Amino acid sequence: MRRFPALILLALLGACSTVEDLSPVAGSTEVSVGYPRFDDSDPHDWTGRTPWNHAVHGTDVSKYQSSIDWHTAKTSGISFAFIKATEGGDRIDDYFAEHWRGTKAAGVPRSAYHFYYFCRPAAEQAAWFIRNVPRDRSSLPPVLDMEWNPQSPTCKLRPPAATVRSEMKIFLEIVERHYGKKPIIYTSIDFFDDNGLASFTGYPYWLRSVAGHPTDRYGGHPFVFWQYTGTGVVPGIKGNADINVFNGSPSAWKKWLKANTI
């Protein structure tokens, strides 16, 4: 899911698969625990490029995780969090406000994300997100969550790829103007392929891939974050937890964080 220097830095991400080459930024932000190894209730048999080869790990949460002990989660190795805020044009996650306050109190860098709903115009959804997510300069860039939702009881539309990309652009531009930070795009393998997102460049990506490294599943598409499991075990979080990694070293994380939280 972020001030002209930040936009220039993020634009550079489109030309590389890691963020190792970011220019130095003043200050220092420590990783909570480097190279953590979380348990998993249904682990994938990882080979080759494994999640734990990445130094910086985080989580993403919604109402399904209910209340969270963020201090414990941070101590266990959670260095960032993506928090569901809104969906469509009329839904707010029941635990957004609690998670938003809790992460800040615990010193966990966090971002708010919007789950896209294909039966509402993008401009309406952007307005709804802006209405409900505070403009906090210390937060990470906002996130647009783009994935198919065949289980939706009210909207099973699958618009043409060109329409999807056009609506994404509308949402992203409105949100960027409001928050001053270039949003992050979260997506899954099928949605990425179905909608030709390999050509939708200029934004940092957060990619879901729970059975293979993103470089193997997304054709080498650049990414900043990787969601590698939905069945992780994180102290402080009840039940299954989504776990993500930052695609870079601890020093690159410090630089990226400084560039995106001003």
Side-chain angles (χ1 to χ4, degrees), residues 6-44:
L7 294 176
I8 293 170
L9 287 168
L10 283 172
L12 293 174
L13 295 178
C16 60
S17 61
T18 71
V19 291
E20 297 287 352
D21 58 349
L22 292 176
S23 300
V25 177
S28 175
T29 302
E30 297 300 324
V31 175
S32 71
V33 176
Y35 301 95
R37 184 73 176 265
F38 292 100
D39 289 333
D40 199 309
S41 63
D42 186 19
H44 176 67

mmCIF file of all heavy atoms in Angstrom, residues 6-44:
data_model
loop_
_atom_site.group_PDB
_atom_site.id
_atom_site.type_symbol
_atom_site.label_atom_id
_atom_site.label_comp_id
_atom_site.label_asym_id
_atom_site.label_seq_id
_atom_site.Cartn_x
_atom_site.Cartn_y
_atom_site.Cartn_z
ATOM 1 N N ALA A 6 9.254 9.755 -1.442
ATOM 2 C CA ALA A 6 8.734 8.390 -1.285
ATOM 3 C C ALA A 6 8.217 7.862 -2.598
ATOM 4 O O ALA A 6 8.395 6.688 -2.942
ATOM 5 C CB ALA A 6 7.625 8.387 -0.232
ATOM 6 N N LEU A 7 7.539 8.746 -3.378
ATOM 7 C CA LEU A 7 6.991 8.287 -4.660
ATOM 8 C C LEU A 7 8.105 7.900 -5.617
ATOM 9 O O LEU A 7 8.001 6.922 -6.362
ATOM 10 C CB LEU A 7 6.127 9.391 -5.275
ATOM 11 C CG LEU A 7 4.856 9.743 -4.507
ATOM 12 C CD1 LEU A 7 4.153 10.904 -5.181
ATOM 13 C CD2 LEU A 7 3.948 8.539 -4.433
ATOM 14 N N ILE A 8 9.198 8.682 -5.614
ATOM 15 C CA ILE A 8 10.322 8.352 -6.488
ATOM 16 C C ILE A 8 10.914 7.010 -6.101
ATOM 17 O O ILE A 8 11.195 6.157 -6.939
ATOM 18 C CB ILE A 8 11.391 9.455 -6.401
ATOM 19 C CG1 ILE A 8 10.830 10.748 -7.015
ATOM 20 C CG2 ILE A 8 12.667 9.046 -7.124
ATOM 21 C CD1 ILE A 8 11.707 11.965 -6.781
ATOM 22 N N LEU A 9 11.084 6.783 -4.780
ATOM 23 C CA LEU A 9 11.644 5.512 -4.322
ATOM 24 C C LEU A 9 10.772 4.346 -4.716
ATOM 25 O O LEU A 9 11.249 3.312 -5.179
ATOM 26 C CB LEU A 9 11.819 5.546 -2.799
ATOM 27 C CG LEU A 9 12.973 6.423 -2.297
ATOM 28 C CD1 LEU A 9 12.862 6.622 -0.801
ATOM 29 C CD2 LEU A 9 14.302 5.807 -2.658
ATOM 30 N N LEU A 10 9.473 4.496 -4.539
ATOM 31 C CA LEU A 10 8.572 3.395 -4.867
ATOM 32 C C LEU A 10 8.531 3.137 -6.356
ATOM 33 O O LEU A 10 8.364 2.004 -6.805
ATOM 34 C CB LEU A 10 7.166 3.704 -4.340
ATOM 35 C CG LEU A 10 7.015 3.506 -2.836
ATOM 36 C CD1 LEU A 10 5.650 4.023 -2.388
ATOM 37 C CD2 LEU A 10 7.182 2.054 -2.463
ATOM 38 N N ALA A 11 8.670 4.199 -7.179
ATOM 39 C CA ALA A 11 8.673 3.995 -8.625
ATOM 40 C C ALA A 11 9.837 3.113 -9.042
ATOM 41 O O ALA A 11 9.746 2.331 -9.987
ATOM 42 C CB ALA A 11 8.764 5.342 -9.336
ATOM 43 N N LEU A 12 10.946 3.230 -8.307
ATOM 44 C CA LEU A 12 12.099 2.394 -8.618
ATOM 45 C C LEU A 12 11.833 0.920 -8.415
ATOM 46 O O LEU A 12 12.475 0.069 -9.025
ATOM 47 C CB LEU A 12 13.289 2.814 -7.745
ATOM 48 C CG LEU A 12 13.868 4.214 -8.016
ATOM 49 C CD1 LEU A 12 14.929 4.538 -6.990
ATOM 50 C CD2 LEU A 12 14.422 4.308 -9.422
ATOM 51 N N LEU A 13 10.867 0.591 -7.553
ATOM 52 C CA LEU A 13 10.591 -0.816 -7.266
ATOM 53 C C LEU A 13 10.104 -1.549 -8.492
ATOM 54 O O LEU A 13 10.255 -2.761 -8.619
ATOM 55 C CB LEU A 13 9.536 -0.926 -6.148
ATOM 56 C CG LEU A 13 9.972 -0.397 -4.785
ATOM 57 C CD1 LEU A 13 8.819 -0.519 -3.808
ATOM 58 C CD2 LEU A 13 11.190 -1.129 -4.296
ATOM 59 N N GLY A 14 9.483 -0.814 -9.429
ATOM 60 C CA GLY A 14 8.970 -1.469 -10.624
ATOM 61 C C GLY A 14 10.058 -2.032 -11.501
ATOM 62 O O GLY A 14 9.794 -2.820 -12.402
ATOM 63 N N ALA A 15 11.313 -1.630 -11.278
ATOM 64 C CA ALA A 15 12.390 -2.094 -12.135
ATOM 65 C C ALA A 15 13.229 -3.180 -11.506
ATOM 66 O O ALA A 15 14.205 -3.623 -12.075
ATOM 67 C CB ALA A 15 13.288 -0.900 -12.495
ATOM 68 N N CYS A 16 12.878 -3.649 -10.317
ATOM 69 C CA CYS A 16 13.690 -4.659 -9.657
ATOM 70 C C CYS A 16 12.803 -5.555 -8.822
ATOM 71 O O CYS A 16 11.670 -5.232 -8.533
ATOM 72 C CB CYS A 16 14.764 -4.013 -8.782
ATOM 73 S SG CYS A 16 14.074 -2.968 -7.490
ATOM 74 N N SER A 17 13.347 -6.701 -8.428
ATOM 75 C CA SER A 17 12.544 -7.660 -7.680
ATOM 76 C C SER A 17 12.778 -7.590 -6.183
ATOM 77 O O SER A 17 12.139 -8.296 -5.433
ATOM 78 C CB SER A 17 12.831 -9.080 -8.181
ATOM 79 O OG SER A 17 14.187 -9.389 -7.977
ATOM 80 N N THR A 18 13.725 -6.758 -5.743
ATOM 81 C CA THR A 18 13.920 -6.541 -4.324
ATOM 82 C C THR A 18 14.043 -5.052 -4.078
ATOM 83 O O THR A 18 14.044 -4.257 -5.009
ATOM 84 C CB THR A 18 15.198 -7.234 -3.796
ATOM 85 O OG1 THR A 18 16.338 -6.534 -4.293
ATOM 86 C CG2 THR A 18 15.244 -8.680 -4.208
ATOM 87 N N VAL A 19 14.150 -4.670 -2.822
ATOM 88 C CA VAL A 19 14.300 -3.256 -2.493
ATOM 89 C C VAL A 19 15.662 -3.007 -1.855
ATOM 90 O O VAL A 19 15.838 -2.103 -1.072
ATOM 91 C CB VAL A 19 13.167 -2.788 -1.554
ATOM 92 C CG1 VAL A 19 11.857 -2.772 -2.295
ATOM 93 C CG2 VAL A 19 13.079 -3.658 -0.330
ATOM 94 N N GLU A 20 16.643 -3.779 -2.234
ATOM 95 C CA GLU A 20 17.963 -3.655 -1.652
ATOM 96 C C GLU A 20 18.669 -2.361 -2.065
ATOM 97 O O GLU A 20 19.570 -1.896 -1.385
ATOM 98 C CB GLU A 20 18.843 -4.842 -2.074
ATOM 99 C CG GLU A 20 18.335 -6.187 -1.587
ATOM 100 C CD GLU A 20 18.533 -6.381 -0.105
ATOM 101 O OE1 GLU A 20 19.187 -5.548 0.526
ATOM 102 O OE2 GLU A 20 18.027 -7.371 0.423
ATOM 103 N N ASP A 21 18.293 -1.781 -3.215
ATOM 104 C CA ASP A 21 19.070 -0.685 -3.750
ATOM 105 C C ASP A 21 18.478 0.680 -3.448
ATOM 106 O O ASP A 21 18.803 1.664 -4.091
ATOM 107 C CB ASP A 21 19.226 -0.855 -5.261
ATOM 108 C CG ASP A 21 17.889 -0.927 -5.974
ATOM 109 O OD1 ASP A 21 16.869 -1.053 -5.284
ATOM 110 O OD2 ASP A 21 17.895 -0.854 -7.213
ATOM 111 N N LEU A 22 17.591 0.770 -2.459
ATOM 112 C CA LEU A 22 17.045 2.055 -2.067
ATOM 113 C C LEU A 22 18.141 2.940 -1.488
ATOM 114 O O LEU A 22 19.047 2.472 -0.805
ATOM 115 C CB LEU A 22 15.937 1.875 -1.020
ATOM 116 C CG LEU A 22 14.658 1.200 -1.514
ATOM 117 C CD1 LEU A 22 13.707 1.021 -0.340
ATOM 118 C CD2 LEU A 22 13.989 2.018 -2.593
ATOM 119 N N SER A 23 18.050 4.233 -1.752
ATOM 120 C CA SER A 23 19.026 5.166 -1.208
ATOM 121 C C SER A 23 18.905 5.256 0.302
ATOM 122 O O SER A 23 17.802 5.110 0.842
ATOM 123 C CB SER A 23 18.815 6.547 -1.832
ATOM 124 O OG SER A 23 18.972 6.475 -3.234
ATOM 125 N N PRO A 24 19.999 5.515 1.001
ATOM 126 C CA PRO A 24 19.939 5.599 2.457
ATOM 127 C C PRO A 24 18.989 6.695 2.917
ATOM 128 O O PRO A 24 18.883 7.739 2.299
ATOM 129 C CB PRO A 24 21.393 5.932 2.843
ATOM 130 C CG PRO A 24 22.216 5.437 1.709
ATOM 131 C CD PRO A 24 21.370 5.643 0.495
ATOM 132 N N VAL A 25 18.305 6.416 4.013
ATOM 133 C CA VAL A 25 17.401 7.375 4.624
ATOM 134 C C VAL A 25 17.839 7.567 6.058
ATOM 135 O O VAL A 25 18.185 6.607 6.746
ATOM 136 C CB VAL A 25 15.937 6.868 4.570
ATOM 137 C CG1 VAL A 25 15.014 7.848 5.272
ATOM 138 C CG2 VAL A 25 15.507 6.657 3.131
ATOM 139 N N ALA A 26 17.816 8.808 6.516
ATOM 140 C CA ALA A 26 18.269 9.085 7.877
ATOM 141 C C ALA A 26 17.408 8.373 8.900
ATOM 142 O O ALA A 26 16.229 8.151 8.693
ATOM 143 C CB ALA A 26 18.239 10.590 8.127
ATOM 144 N N GLY A 27 18.007 8.020 10.034
ATOM 145 C CA GLY A 27 17.259 7.388 11.116
ATOM 146 C C GLY A 27 17.382 5.880 11.075
ATOM 147 O O GLY A 27 17.955 5.301 10.164
ATOM 148 N N SER A 28 16.810 5.242 12.076
ATOM 149 C CA SER A 28 16.904 3.787 12.177
ATOM 150 C C SER A 28 15.653 3.228 12.822
ATOM 151 O O SER A 28 15.186 3.744 13.832
ATOM 152 C CB SER A 28 18.129 3.404 13.017
ATOM 153 O OG SER A 28 18.167 2.014 13.227
ATOM 154 N N THR A 29 15.097 2.191 12.216
ATOM 155 C CA THR A 29 13.950 1.488 12.786
ATOM 156 C C THR A 29 14.292 0.010 12.841
ATOM 157 O O THR A 29 14.532 -0.600 11.810
ATOM 158 C CB THR A 29 12.689 1.698 11.925
ATOM 159 O OG1 THR A 29 12.424 3.091 11.823
ATOM 160 C CG2 THR A 29 11.494 1.012 12.554
ATOM 161 N N GLU A 30 14.325 -0.551 14.032
ATOM 162 C CA GLU A 30 14.769 -1.924 14.197
ATOM 163 C C GLU A 30 13.686 -2.925 13.819
ATOM 164 O O GLU A 30 12.504 -2.707 14.069
ATOM 165 C CB GLU A 30 15.192 -2.165 15.649
ATOM 166 C CG GLU A 30 16.382 -1.330 16.088
ATOM 167 C CD GLU A 30 17.623 -1.584 15.259
ATOM 168 O OE1 GLU A 30 17.841 -2.739 14.858
ATOM 169 O OE2 GLU A 30 18.362 -0.627 14.997
ATOM 170 N N VAL A 31 14.098 -4.045 13.239
ATOM 171 C CA VAL A 31 13.224 -5.187 13.027
ATOM 172 C C VAL A 31 12.945 -5.797 14.396
ATOM 173 O O VAL A 31 13.839 -5.911 15.230
ATOM 174 C CB VAL A 31 13.905 -6.216 12.108
ATOM 175 C CG1 VAL A 31 13.062 -7.480 11.980
ATOM 176 C CG2 VAL A 31 14.183 -5.594 10.744
ATOM 177 N N SER A 32 11.699 -6.200 14.648
ATOM 178 C CA SER A 32 11.374 -6.717 15.988
ATOM 179 C C SER A 32 12.187 -7.970 16.301
ATOM 180 O O SER A 32 12.803 -8.082 17.360
ATOM 181 C CB SER A 32 9.871 -6.992 16.114
ATOM 182 O OG SER A 32 9.487 -8.106 15.357
ATOM 183 N N VAL A 33 12.175 -8.949 15.383
ATOM 184 C CA VAL A 33 12.993 -10.160 15.503
ATOM 185 C C VAL A 33 13.412 -10.534 14.092
ATOM 186 O O VAL A 33 12.567 -10.741 13.217
ATOM 187 C CB VAL A 33 12.207 -11.334 16.124
ATOM 188 C CG1 VAL A 33 13.064 -12.599 16.128
ATOM 189 C CG2 VAL A 33 11.764 -11.003 17.539
ATOM 190 N N GLY A 34 14.707 -10.630 13.853
ATOM 191 C CA GLY A 34 15.183 -10.977 12.529
ATOM 192 C C GLY A 34 15.059 -12.471 12.243
ATOM 193 O O GLY A 34 15.331 -13.292 13.105
ATOM 194 N N TYR A 35 14.622 -12.809 11.033
ATOM 195 C CA TYR A 35 14.506 -14.200 10.579
ATOM 196 C C TYR A 35 13.707 -15.086 11.548
ATOM 197 O O TYR A 35 14.156 -16.167 11.942
ATOM 198 C CB TYR A 35 15.900 -14.807 10.362
ATOM 199 C CG TYR A 35 16.717 -14.063 9.345
ATOM 200 C CD1 TYR A 35 17.627 -13.068 9.737
ATOM 201 C CD2 TYR A 35 16.587 -14.328 7.983
ATOM 202 C CE1 TYR A 35 18.377 -12.368 8.802
ATOM 203 C CE2 TYR A 35 17.339 -13.628 7.031
ATOM 204 C CZ TYR A 35 18.222 -12.659 7.457
ATOM 205 O OH TYR A 35 18.961 -11.967 6.525
ATOM 206 N N PRO A 36 12.495 -14.672 11.936
ATOM 207 C CA PRO A 36 11.698 -15.525 12.829
ATOM 208 C C PRO A 36 11.234 -16.782 12.099
ATOM 209 O O PRO A 36 11.112 -16.791 10.857
ATOM 210 C CB PRO A 36 10.511 -14.636 13.202
ATOM 211 C CG PRO A 36 10.356 -13.730 12.021
ATOM 212 C CD PRO A 36 11.759 -13.452 11.543
ATOM 213 N N ARG A 37 10.948 -17.824 12.839
ATOM 214 C CA ARG A 37 10.470 -19.076 12.257
ATOM 215 C C ARG A 37 9.173 -19.440 12.976
ATOM 216 O O ARG A 37 9.180 -20.067 14.043
ATOM 217 C CB ARG A 37 11.511 -20.184 12.425
ATOM 218 C CG ARG A 37 11.165 -21.522 11.758
ATOM 219 C CD ARG A 37 11.296 -21.455 10.241
ATOM 220 N NE ARG A 37 11.044 -22.759 9.636
ATOM 221 C CZ ARG A 37 12.003 -23.635 9.324
ATOM 222 N NH1 ARG A 37 13.270 -23.341 9.564
ATOM 223 N NH2 ARG A 37 11.694 -24.789 8.772
ATOM 224 N N PHE A 38 8.039 -19.042 12.404
ATOM 225 C CA PHE A 38 6.745 -19.298 13.023
ATOM 226 C C PHE A 38 6.262 -20.720 12.739
ATOM 227 O O PHE A 38 6.565 -21.294 11.689
ATOM 228 C CB PHE A 38 5.703 -18.302 12.499
ATOM 229 C CG PHE A 38 5.936 -16.888 12.922
ATOM 230 C CD1 PHE A 38 6.537 -15.970 12.066
ATOM 231 C CD2 PHE A 38 5.562 -16.451 14.188
ATOM 232 C CE1 PHE A 38 6.756 -14.657 12.450
ATOM 233 C CE2 PHE A 38 5.781 -15.139 14.597
ATOM 234 C CZ PHE A 38 6.372 -14.241 13.719
ATOM 235 N N ASP A 39 5.522 -21.273 13.672
ATOM 236 C CA ASP A 39 4.870 -22.557 13.433
ATOM 237 C C ASP A 39 3.736 -22.375 12.427
ATOM 238 O O ASP A 39 3.305 -21.259 12.132
ATOM 239 C CB ASP A 39 4.311 -23.122 14.737
ATOM 240 C CG ASP A 39 5.412 -23.606 15.674
ATOM 241 O OD1 ASP A 39 6.483 -23.973 15.166
ATOM 242 O OD2 ASP A 39 5.182 -23.611 16.899
ATOM 243 N N ASP A 40 3.234 -23.497 11.912
ATOM 244 C CA ASP A 40 2.156 -23.461 10.932
ATOM 245 C C ASP A 40 1.271 -24.679 11.155
ATOM 246 O O ASP A 40 1.780 -25.801 11.301
ATOM 247 C CB ASP A 40 2.736 -23.480 9.508
ATOM 248 C CG ASP A 40 1.760 -22.988 8.465
ATOM 249 O OD1 ASP A 40 0.607 -23.486 8.446
ATOM 250 O OD2 ASP A 40 2.131 -22.123 7.655
ATOM 251 N N SER A 41 -0.052 -24.474 11.219
ATOM 252 C CA SER A 41 -0.958 -25.596 11.470
ATOM 253 C C SER A 41 -1.154 -26.469 10.236
ATOM 254 O O SER A 41 -1.624 -27.605 10.340
ATOM 255 C CB SER A 41 -2.317 -25.070 11.953
ATOM 256 O OG SER A 41 -2.935 -24.268 10.952
ATOM 257 N N ASP A 42 -0.810 -25.971 9.052
ATOM 258 C CA ASP A 42 -0.901 -26.763 7.814
ATOM 259 C C ASP A 42 0.240 -26.342 6.902
ATOM 260 O O ASP A 42 0.032 -25.713 5.862
ATOM 261 C CB ASP A 42 -2.250 -26.536 7.141
ATOM 262 C CG ASP A 42 -2.462 -27.444 5.934
ATOM 263 O OD1 ASP A 42 -1.760 -28.478 5.822
ATOM 264 O OD2 ASP A 42 -3.313 -27.108 5.084
ATOM 265 N N PRO A 43 1.470 -26.685 7.267
ATOM 266 C CA PRO A 43 2.629 -26.127 6.569
ATOM 267 C C PRO A 43 2.813 -26.678 5.157
ATOM 268 O O PRO A 43 2.526 -27.838 4.879
ATOM 269 C CB PRO A 43 3.804 -26.538 7.465
ATOM 270 C CG PRO A 43 3.326 -27.788 8.139
ATOM 271 C CD PRO A 43 1.855 -27.581 8.368
ATOM 272 N N HIS A 44 3.282 -25.820 4.274
ATOM 273 C CA HIS A 44 3.716 -26.247 2.946
ATOM 274 C C HIS A 44 5.129 -26.817 3.067
ATOM 275 O O HIS A 44 5.924 -26.375 3.905
ATOM 276 C CB HIS A 44 3.704 -25.055 1.988
ATOM 277 C CG HIS A 44 4.228 -25.375 0.621
ATOM 278 N ND1 HIS A 44 3.573 -26.224 -0.243
ATOM 279 C CD2 HIS A 44 5.349 -24.954 -0.033
ATOM 280 C CE1 HIS A 44 4.259 -26.320 -1.368
ATOM 281 N NE2 HIS A 44 5.336 -25.560 -1.269
#
